[in-house]
Amino acid sequence: MKNQTSGLVLILICILLVAGRLWKPTQRPISWDVGGYYLYLPAKFIYHDLEMKDYQKFDSLREKYQISSTFYQVYKTPKNKYIVKYTMGNSFFYMPFFFVGHFIAHVGGYPTDGFSAPYQMAVMW
């Protein structure tokens, strides 16, 4: 009896979480701190620029997709190089969803820039 009740409560919680996402989806799931953790993925797999040599490209993506009001996720070193100030651990969890979003963007005609709607929706789910 106790195990059945726990199982039913767990299923109910999962249903409520999914229903909440469907009822009021997040507008920009890749934003603020999540954007900092996620940034490794497009930098590596789309732009092949983990060192952020083309800082302006990443900053323009930040502005275009309203990731944050400033580019605080990236730190300028004393040697005038840029690095993401977040650890890359969370990006490993986002990676499967990044590739799903990349595939959908590619076949769906969306920009394959790492931040368009398919990437946002894949990361949200």
Side-chain angles (χ1 to χ4, degrees), residues 30-71:
I30 303 173
S31 61
W32 299 98
D33 287 355
V34 172
Y37 291 113
Y38 174 86
L39 190 55
Y40 289 101
L41 297 170
K44 170 68 176 163
F45 296 110
I46 295 175
Y47 302 107
H48 311 289
D49 187 12
L50 274 177
E51 296 179 357
M52 304 245 162
K53 291 178 183 172
D54 191 359
Y55 175 84
Q56 293 302 321
K57 175 184 289 293
F58 293 102
D59 195 34
S60 66
L61 287 167
R62 177 199 57 82
E63 288 180 15
K64 179 179 180 181
Y65 292 103
Q66 300 174 357
I67 295 169
S68 60
S69 57
T70 64
F71 206 10

Side-chain angles (χ1 to χ4, degrees), residues 54-119:
D54 191 359
Y55 175 84
Q56 293 302 321
K57 175 184 289 293
F58 293 102
D59 195 34
S60 66
L61 287 167
R62 177 199 57 82
E63 288 180 15
K64 179 179 180 181
Y65 292 103
Q66 300 174 357
I67 295 169
S68 60
S69 57
T70 64
F71 206 10
Y72 72 91
Q73 297 92 340
V74 174
Y75 173 76
K76 186 175 183 179
T77 69
K79 294 184 178 183
N80 291 326
K81 295 189 178 205
Y82 294 94
I83 59 170
V84 178
K85 73 177 195 178
Y86 292 88
T87 60
M88 71 171 53
N90 284 8
S91 64
F92 289 104
F93 293 110
Y94 297 136
M95 193 180 303
F97 305 101
F98 167 81
F99 286 119
V100 167
H102 191 66
F103 175 77
I104 293 170
H106 184 71
V107 299
Y110 290 90
T112 54
D113 57 13
F115 296 93
S116 62
Y119 298 95

Side-chain angles (χ1 to χ4, degrees), residues 10-30:
L10 183 62
I11 290 170
L12 180 62
I13 289 171
C14 290
I15 289 171
L16 289 173
L17 288 172
V18 170
R21 283 288 189 189
L22 292 173
W23 178 59
K24 191 172 182 179
T26 305
Q27 295 294 325
R28 289 183 307 272
I30 303 173

